[in-house]
Amino acid sequence: MAAGSSGALARALARALAALDDSGAMEKIRLIPQDFFAELCEQIIQHLNHKIPGINTVDLCQRIQTSGVDINIGDLAKVANTLSFLFSTAARNNLSTEELVTTLGSGVSMLPKHAVQVIRHVWNEQGKAIAVSEDARDMATVGQFVDMKWKLGVAMSSDTCRSLKYPYVTVTLTVADPSGQITDKSFEMTVPQFKNFFRQFKEMASVLETV
Amino acid sequence: MAAPEPQPPEGCRALSALLSGIAQVTFHGNARITEELLRAQLYPEAPPEEFRALRAKMGGLLQSIASADMDSNQLEAFLTAQTKKQGGITSDQAAVIAKFWKNHRTQIHESLINQSRWDNVLKNMNWRVDLKSQLRHIDQINTPVAIVEMELGKNGQESEFLCLEFDEAKMSQMLKKLSEIEESMTLLTQTT
């Protein structure tokens, strides 16, 4: 790896860590217990390897909070995004474990010792397997469908109408956004709207089959 | 207390138009139709207080009818009772109201439904099918995927665009869930 590009790389990684520090999220890394930090890194690597659709930050955050650590979902998301950037940059540049630690350079002194140990271990075990796809950048705006929940209700009456009586379905889509965060999006449909929705998906399915 | 007596057939037309105007304001949120506008256009000869009384009475009746989403039997019973009341309506007026409700019931009911939808709705949806080729992941070479763009948002507020990718497996999963919904919906509409 040429000295010039390693310098640029080191600066890029250092900037990412510095940004994390500025936002106050670096403080939080210090608080995350080692095993949770390792789990986070594992999920990030698996996501980069396309083994899982996303990183379940909500679940992880709750479990960390239950263990007594005061961290909010926003901070955890920032930490996850930064780590994801670190690992994918390292993958794109085919860094060995030592190169990764060296390139983190001054950033390493910001990270707590146990975090560096975890990053080093995870990268050693699984880093080489990441093959970063060219398409990943093009699909930057597209999320992955993970799951769907639904419930059917009937609106009986309201303050403006005593006899509404219309059935509607509430759908919650669990999606993994391009950065790996898993979120829920909900919306309602009336019967005719649902019928149209279903019809369109059936059309899509038949096109998928014939392509 | 005598209500202003519209002379048929002009009177019927005026009343019908009045009901339309009231519906526009009450159910479709059209704020430009003022009482003064209605009076000037439809009952220019009527003194303002008399017109106000007529408008209030018709508005109240329409409100009751819409709130109960009356079917033809309920409506007939309701209007008949109104014709027998002191200070009620004439049978001509009842006929005009009945005809109006018959023609506008669905539209007004839909408006009332929309007024009570405060959560995100699906405003629009577009889709296309792509052939995705990723050379480094052998199991993903040339997979067809559906890219779906959904416009979500609350009524009258800014939308959020959700763009999702579905491969064949995910599409099957989605279709299965949608079938479940359809089944439940059919059961529901059969029993109500």
Side-chain angles (χ1 to χ4, degrees), chain A residues 25-140:
Chain A
M26 185 66 87
E27 275 302 315
K28 302 295 176 170
I29 292 193
R30 298 197 181 102
L31 297 176
I32 302 175
Q34 185 163 9
D35 50 355
F36 284 121
F37 188 75
E39 194 180 328
L40 179 62
C41 289
E42 291 275 351
Q43 280 197 35
I44 290 169
I45 297 272
Q46 281 181 25
H47 169 62
L48 289 172
N49 255 338
H50 301 254
K51 295 252 174 33
I52 56 172
I55 302 137
N56 210 335
T57 34
V58 174
D59 176 67
L60 199 54
C61 190
Q62 275 176 1
R63 285 159 52 214
I64 296 175
Q65 284 169 346
T66 309
S67 78
V69 174
D70 176 25
I71 186 171
N72 67 44
I73 189 85
D75 289 331
L76 191 62
K78 287 196 191 97
V79 170
N81 280 339
T82 306
L83 288 170
S84 193
F85 174 73
L86 290 180
F87 285 131
S88 61
T89 304
R92 249 196 300 276
N93 291 278
N94 279 314
L95 298 184
S96 70
T97 313
E98 285 320 307
E99 282 169 332
L100 174 59
V101 174
T102 314
T103 314
L104 282 173
S106 61
V108 171
S109 60
M110 279 191 236
L111 290 168
K113 193 149 166 250
H114 74 261
V116 178
Q117 271 174 1
V118 169
I119 289 172
R120 191 193 203 109
H121 175 82
V122 167
W123 188 250
N124 216 19
E125 299 291 300
Q126 303 179 55
K128 312 306 177 311
I130 300 179
V132 180
S133 157
E134 296 294 344
D135 286 345
R137 268 165 285 161
D138 300 329
M139 301 305 260

Side-chain angles (χ1 to χ4, degrees), chain A residues 133-194:
Chain A
S133 157
E134 296 294 344
D135 286 345
R137 268 165 285 161
D138 300 329
M139 301 305 260
T141 52
V142 179
Q144 295 285 325
F145 166 75
V146 175
D147 198 8
M148 196 254 268
K149 298 188 284 239
W150 59 271
K151 111 183 152 206
L152 184 61
V154 179
M156 293 304 288
S157 57
S158 73
D159 60 325
T160 49
C161 182
R162 290 293 180 267
S163 180
L164 275 176
K165 286 204 237 149
Y166 75 90
Y168 65 95
V169 58
T170 306
V171 165
T172 300
L173 296 174
T174 304
V175 307
D177 74 19
S179 72
Q181 307 285 356
I182 296 194
T183 50
D184 278 349
K185 308 274 185 208
S186 295
F187 58 94
E188 256 183 42
M189 288 182 275
T190 57
V191 172
Q193 285 173 338
F194 168 76

Side-chain angles (χ1 to χ4, degrees), chain B residues 6 9-20 41-43 54 96:
Chain B
E10 295 162 23
C12 290
R13 240 178 277 137
L15 182 58
S16 195
L18 177 61
L19 291 170
S20 278
Q41 297 255 326
L42 306 171
Y43 295 89
L54 176 67
V96 173

Side-chain angles (χ1 to χ4, degrees), chain A residues 134-135 139 143-148 150 162-164 166 185-188 193-194 198 200 204, chain B residues 67 109 113 117 120 125 127 133-134 136 148 160 163 165-166 170 173 177-178 180-182 184:
Chain A
E134 296 294 344
D135 286 345
M139 301 305 260
Q144 295 285 325
F145 166 75
V146 175
D147 198 8
M148 196 254 268
W150 59 271
R162 290 293 180 267
S163 180
L164 275 176
Y166 75 90
K185 308 274 185 208
S186 295
F187 58 94
E188 256 183 42
Q193 285 173 338
F194 168 76
F198 194 9
Q200 297 210 54
M204 277 182 243
Chain B
S67 189
H109 194 66
I113 288 174
R117 299 184 71 194
N120 278 340
M125 186 166 95
W127 59 271
S133 53
Q134 286 195 354
R136 299 195 209 193
V148 184
E160 178 191 350
C163 196
E165 190 182 276
F166 293 80
K170 301 246 175 76
Q173 190 187 349
K177 296 272 175 147
L178 294 175
E180 287 171 11
I181 297 176
E182 190 182 49
S184 285

Side-chain angles (χ1 to χ4, degrees), chain B residues 20-54:
Chain B
S20 278
I22 294 172
Q24 276 294 311
V25 176
T26 319
F27 306 113
H28 307 300
N30 190 339
R32 282 168 301 152
I33 298 182
T34 60
E35 191 165 301
E36 186 41 45
L37 184 73
L38 288 172
R39 191 192 70 82
Q41 297 255 326
L42 306 171
Y43 295 89
E45 320 279 90
E49 317 82 60
E50 270 186 35
F51 175 75
R52 194 169 302 137
L54 176 67

